[in-house]
């Protein structure tokens, strides 16, 4: 069994739900996929706060659709976790009780509408860098979910950039609002990729199993290289005095994020951690009647189908 699994990984083939897999592989996947699903669901909140306040009907419709897409991503991912034997209700409990993580980035506030644009540009941009390689992840259901998610993320990134382009063509106050949002989101976005490689306990096993295809630092570097020319085109400054092109490496050098901040935010002490978890808890509790009604409806449908089968027989 182990040999067959090892050969599947070595040949770059996919592991599927019914295949034998080592316990550690299953555990790592459930951990990563559940955290990813939680991030999508919690990630609806910072932008969702702007749905009622979007400045035009067009912006409202766009934002609605984007936040709805994020709910969809969460659902694909919870389904992928279920193929590994996880239970979605249990995963939700773990999130609400703070026993499972979600991305640090969603613990920062969104005080202006420019934050919506910068989330699209930076956060969805970082998500694309991180998630495109996950489309080749060794676990079939996760890799397939990522294909669709990435298509939508790339659309989300463009809508963020287009919103910022529009604001940059507007008034001085709008341009200042964009620059302020860029200043606040740049470093937290770099932290989305996780701790530096030397301090990333899960990377070695995840790379050997081909769940992760690139290290945290490599993906962070790709994000910086991709974003710098976009910032120039937009006309904003990225808040890093050490950021410069290194012709020898053919890549940008950049400063070191404040890793103690990442640890604090992951540990529950970010600007909005308590608020995000509490909102998720109340939404879950308020939705109890919907889950009960859906379960009762499904049971009724099943009874009817059985009765019909009986009548035919
Ligand atoms: N935030 O050994 P490491 C989105 C944890 S959704 C919080 O490097 P790994 C979007 C890590 O879990 C974005 N925790 O871990 C949604 C581990 O703790 P545990 C979410 C973090 O797994 C809505 C510990 O630190 N994307 O894009 O090898 C709107 C040590 O780290 C963070 C995904 O989830 C963090 N930033 O690598 C818009 C992508 N970083 O579990 C956009 C899938 C690290 O040992 N996930 N930790 O207790 C991954 O690619 C990997 O899990 C990570 C971390 C690169 C994030």
């Amino acid at each position: 069994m182990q040999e067959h699994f090892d050969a599947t990984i070595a040949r770059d083939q996919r592991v599927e739900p019914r295949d034998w897999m080592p316990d550690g592989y299953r555990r790592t996947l459930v951990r990563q996929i559940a955290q990813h699903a939680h991030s999508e669901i919690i990630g609806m909140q910072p932008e969702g706060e702007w749905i009622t306040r979007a400045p035009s009907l067009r912006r409202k419709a766009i934002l609605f659709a984007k936040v709805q897409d994020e709910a969809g991503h969460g659902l694909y991912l919870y389904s992928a976790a279920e193929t590994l034997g996880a239970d979605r209700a249990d995963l939700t409990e773990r999130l609400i009780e703070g026993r499972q993580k979600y991305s640090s980035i969603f613990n920062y506030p969104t005080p202006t509408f420019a934050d919506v644009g910068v989330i699209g540009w930076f956060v969805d941009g970082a998500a694309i860098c991180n998630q495109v390689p996950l489309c080749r992840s060794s676990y079939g259901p996760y890799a397939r979910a990522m294909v669709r998610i990435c298509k939508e993320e790339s659309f989300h990134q463009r809508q963020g950039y287009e919103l910022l382009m529009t604001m940059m063509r507007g008034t001085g106050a709008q341009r200042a609002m964009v620059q302020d949002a860029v200043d606040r989101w740049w470093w937290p976005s770099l932290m989305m990729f996780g701790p530096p490689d030397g301090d990333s306990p899960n990377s070695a096993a995840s790379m050997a199993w081909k769940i992760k295809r690139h290290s945290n630092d490599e993906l962070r570097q790709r994000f910086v290289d991709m974003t710098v020319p976009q910032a120039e085109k937009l006309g904003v400054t990225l808040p890093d005095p050490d950021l410069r092109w290194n012709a020898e490496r053919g890549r940008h050098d950049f400063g070191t994020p404040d890793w103690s901040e990442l640890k604090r935010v992951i540990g529950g002490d970010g600007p909005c951690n308590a608020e995000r978890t509490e909102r998720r808890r109340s939404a879950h509790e308020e939705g109890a009647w919907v889950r009960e009604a859906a379960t009762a409806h499904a049971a009724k449908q099943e009874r009817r189908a059985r009765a019909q089968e009986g009548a035919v027989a």
Side-chain angles (χ1 to χ4, degrees), residues 124-197:
D124 289 280
I128 292 165
C129 283
N130 170 268
Q131 293 172 18
V132 165
L134 291 175
C135 299
R136 293 189 298 115
S137 174
S138 58
Y139 186 58
Y142 190 31
R144 288 189 288 274
M146 291 319 303
V147 173
R148 183 155 170 195
I149 291 178
C150 284
K151 283 189 184 149
E152 293 180 352
E153 299 290 22
S154 121
F155 199 63
H156 292 173
Q157 190 204 18
R158 283 172 215 192
Q159 79 62 50
Y161 197 70
E162 188 268 344
L163 165 53
L164 297 177
M165 275 284 189
T166 307
M167 289 185 82
M168 291 301 284
R169 281 192 225 107
T171 63
Q174 283 176 306
R175 279 191 287 279
M177 205 185 271
V178 173
Q179 183 62 56
D180 168 63
V182 165
D183 291 346
R184 285 182 288 107
W185 288 91
W186 175 249
W187 292 107
S189 299
L190 293 189
M191 293 176 198
M192 274 180 79
F193 294 92
D197 291 351

Side-chain angles (χ1 to χ4, degrees), residues 31 35 40 70 101 104 127 130 191 194 200-202 212 216:
R31 176 184 66 77
Q35 286 178 9
E40 298 283 356
E70 281 150 13
K101 298 183 170 77
S104 52
N130 170 268
M191 293 176 198
S200 164
N202 299 299
K212 277 167 89 160
N216 298 357

